[in-house]
Amino acid sequence: MTRNEPTGGHETHREADRTLKNPDQIDADEADESVEHVARHMARELCAGFRYHDRGERDAAVESFAEVDRRQFAHVDEDTARRAARAYVDALWAKDELETDHMDGDRIDPESIRGGDWGRVYDALAERAAVADIDREYATATTRAWRNHKANGDYWTPMLRAQLLEYRAAVGDENYPTKPSDGREGFGTAPVRYLLGVELHDRHTRDHWEEAIRVMEPYYRRVLRAHRAD
């Protein structure tokens, strides 16, 4: 998901924030222990984090992503989860700077950015992987996905791989997905949900953001249920 939001004025932004983040539900896991409630909160915070990124609000993006990471990475303490969130935001901002360096007029030059130096992006993602105990391949796959997304290439395959690795770390299951028979080489439903969220993000409308929240709720429900089953 990348920074590219149509301008619509402060009132539009405030209305969108009310939709994405219900102030009465910020302390979701403390106020209501239901998996459904907390999963909805996480999905809203994920989408809010990307909206803040689109608008260049770095500290707010860290706060939203940290709300997600401290719940999905239950195997690390809150300070470590926050470091993971901050590293992710560092990667997003490094990507933004790279995009600026490869503009052709008012658009990114796909060929130019494909050959750009993505080292700082990779390093930040590798930091996230290290602190959250995600397989290091996550950094390689996510960097490739973001690069291909901007270069109009196949971003979906490395994105699915990256989210498979992150999801495995979140649920503590290195064998995910397990299937009874056909399609055993697939990525599983969780990474596919995340990819759909990326596609919805790229539309940049409130209706699509709301749909992205609904798409991601089952993702986080499964994460939370895996934690409670331990």
Side-chain angles (χ1 to χ4, degrees):
M1 300 185 183
T2 55
R3 186 183 301 174
N4 182 21
E5 180 171 331
T7 57
H10 294 297
E11 188 59 38
T12 300
H13 286 160
R14 284 195 293 270
E15 183 178 356
D17 284 346
R18 284 195 294 270
T19 300
L20 288 170
K21 298 182 67 168
N22 185 337
D24 295 331
Q25 297 179 354
I26 294 302
D27 293 326
D29 52 352
E30 290 81 13
D32 186 337
E33 289 296 326
S34 75
V35 166
E36 289 76 12
H37 186 89
V38 180
R40 185 177 306 114
H41 175 70
M42 293 170 72
R44 286 184 180 277
E45 288 291 348
L46 179 75
C47 290
F50 285 116
R51 287 294 295 269
Y52 286 131
H53 165 248
D54 286 341
R55 285 151 43 184
E57 299 181 35
R58 188 169 187 153
D59 290 344
V62 171
E63 291 301 321
S64 283
F65 288 129
E67 277 289 290
V68 178
D69 282 351
R70 74 183 184 89
R71 292 175 172 88
Q72 73 169 335
F73 298 133
H75 56 284
V76 301
D77 61 35
E78 287 201 17
D79 287 343
T80 302
R82 187 177 184 82
R83 285 176 57 201
R86 185 173 296 280
Y88 189 73
V89 171
D90 288 346
L92 287 171
W93 257 257
K95 176 183 63 62
D96 293 341
E97 292 175 12
L98 188 63
E99 291 171 11
T100 300
D101 292 339
H102 293 274
M103 298 295 291
D104 180 11
D106 61 352
R107 300 188 67 84
I108 296 168
D109 183 331
E111 293 302 321
S112 176
I113 201 166
R114 182 179 290 112
D117 182 0
W118 288 79
R120 289 180 57 228
V121 174
Y122 171 83
D123 288 345
L125 292 168
E127 170 71 7
R128 173 175 174 78
V131 299
D133 292 330
I134 307 170
D135 189 303
R136 192 177 181 86
E137 186 192 347
Y138 164 86
T140 302
T142 304
T143 302
R144 183 178 298 118
W146 289 3
R147 182 188 64 208
N148 290 356
H149 187 265
K150 289 303 171 184
N152 297 325
D154 172 9
Y155 84 88
W156 47 92
T157 303
M159 179 68 71
L160 288 167
R161 178 62 181 169
Q163 287 310 125
L164 171 62
L165 297 172
E166 180 171 292
Y167 187 79
R168 284 175 172 174
V171 299
D173 181 2
E174 290 300 314
N175 294 317
Y176 177 89
T178 54
K179 299 181 182 181
S181 57
D182 298 331
R184 291 182 181 177
E185 295 304 312
F187 293 98
T189 58
V192 173
R193 283 188 175 278
Y194 191 94
L195 178 63
L196 177 54
V198 175
E199 287 290 311
L200 291 166
H201 165 275
D202 287 346
R203 299 301 300 274
H204 296 289
T205 73
R206 187 171 63 181
D207 286 347
H208 287 98
W209 277 114
E210 279 292 305
E211 186 176 351
I213 291 169
R214 293 193 297 272
V215 163
M216 288 302 295
E217 284 181 35
Y219 181 107
Y220 291 122
R221 281 202 300 268
R222 294 187 180 106
V223 170
L224 294 168
R225 285 171 180 157
H227 296 169
R228 297 186 183 199
D230 289 343

